[in-house]
């Protein structure tokens, strides 16, 4: 079994493309992925920029991701880029992980618009929401951001946040740690201690000594 951790960067579809925006709000502008072997050691990486078809790179996206229009002008569009990713994943049994479900939702919506013949079951049968698995393991009720999950591991983010390949590599470190339950619990014990419910008072006297004193006087 192979394991692929993926991250995507996206750019909003221009408002002038109303019909397209009704079916997908964003376009992928970068793929980043890392492949791990059966022992969850890194084997290979995949990265490519993607030229958006329904609008130029927005300024706030450049500020967030450092991806400029010039960087995608010579890149392929979605269909050949996504096909290159599928080919890179290959035919071996593979589980695909992402931090939250936003990436698979993006791929599915973009495939429906640009690659309608693609069998979306290929994604559904492989995909795992690692963020949810991590939160469930710790008993969290709210989703933890990637950088905060790494901080809980006492691990600094390596590389640059919102760079698809760096995000994927950092996410794969969490996936690898989660395979050893004893090591995971030891690493996360400070977080687990914080999450443990504090001892609560079991008697009305503990909760309100004044009320207890009054009842004794009556």
């Amino acid at each position: 079994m192979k394991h692929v951790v993926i991250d995507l960067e996206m750019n909003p579809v221009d408002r002038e493309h109303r019909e397209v925006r009704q079916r997908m709000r964003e376009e992928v502008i970068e793929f980043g992925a890392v492949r791990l072997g059966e022992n969850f050691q890194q084997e290979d990486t995949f990265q490519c920029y993607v030229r958006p078809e329904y609008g130029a790179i927005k300024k706030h996206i450049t500020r967030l991701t450092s991806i400029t229009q010039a960087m995608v002008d010579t890149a392929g569009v979605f269909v050949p880029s996504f096909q290159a990713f599928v080919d890179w994943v290959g035919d071996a049994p593979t589980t695909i992980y992402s931090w939250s479900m936003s990436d698979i939702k993006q791929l599915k919506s973009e495939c429906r618009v640009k690659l309608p013949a693609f069998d979306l079951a290929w994604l559904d049968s492989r995909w795992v929401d690692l963020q949810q698995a991590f939160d469930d393991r710790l008993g969290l009720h709210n989703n933890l951001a990637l950088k905060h999950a790494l901080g809980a591991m006492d691990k600094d983010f390596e590389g640059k946040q919102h760079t698809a390949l760096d995000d994927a590599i950092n996410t794969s470190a969490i996936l690898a740690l989660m395979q050893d339950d004893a090591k995971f619990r030891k690493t996360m014990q400070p977080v687990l201690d914080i999450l443990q419910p504090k001892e609560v008072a079991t008697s009305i006297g503990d909760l309100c000594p004044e009320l207890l004193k009054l009842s004794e006087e009556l």
Side-chain angles (χ1 to χ4, degrees), residues 30-181:
E30 185 184 13
F31 281 90
V34 56
R35 182 165 61 232
L36 310 176
E38 293 183 3
N39 60 355
F40 291 88
Q41 295 297 312
Q42 183 176 317
E43 290 185 346
D44 197 11
T45 61
F46 177 91
Q47 187 277 338
C48 73
Y49 294 114
V50 184
R51 188 172 75 253
E53 299 168 68
Y54 297 102
I57 302 293
K58 305 296 185 289
K59 290 181 179 179
H60 74 277
I61 296 299
T62 296
R63 288 194 296 269
L64 179 68
T65 68
S66 298
I67 299 174
T68 65
Q69 186 63 41
M71 293 168 65
V72 300
D73 277 341
T74 58
V77 293
F78 177 80
V79 171
S81 301
F82 178 64
Q83 187 60 58
F85 169 72
V86 172
D87 293 342
W88 176 79
V89 171
D91 297 326
T94 301
T95 303
I96 301 175
Y97 306 81
S98 65
W99 197 256
S100 86
M101 294 298 285
S102 61
D103 289 335
I104 186 173
K105 290 177 180 177
Q106 175 61 36
L107 289 178
K108 290 170 74 172
S109 65
E110 202 155 349
C111 281
R112 290 188 185 103
V113 173
K114 300 178 179 179
L115 194 60
F118 182 77
D119 183 4
L120 295 178
W122 187 92
L123 293 169
D124 287 325
S125 63
R126 290 166 168 79
W127 211 279
V128 171
D129 180 354
L130 189 63
Q131 182 186 48
Q132 189 62 58
F134 180 89
D135 293 343
D136 289 346
R137 183 81 69 90
L138 288 180
L140 296 175
H141 298 294
N142 297 315
N143 293 135
L144 204 62
L146 176 58
K147 67 177 182 179
H148 295 144
L150 289 164
M153 293 168 56
D154 197 23
K155 179 178 174 61
D156 293 330
F157 190 97
E158 296 183 10
K160 185 179 182 343
Q161 292 183 51
H162 303 295
T163 297
L165 183 55
D166 287 347
D167 282 352
I169 290 173
N170 282 275
T171 304
S172 73
I174 297 174
L175 174 62
L177 177 64
M178 290 177 67
Q179 305 315 304
D180 185 332
D181 191 62

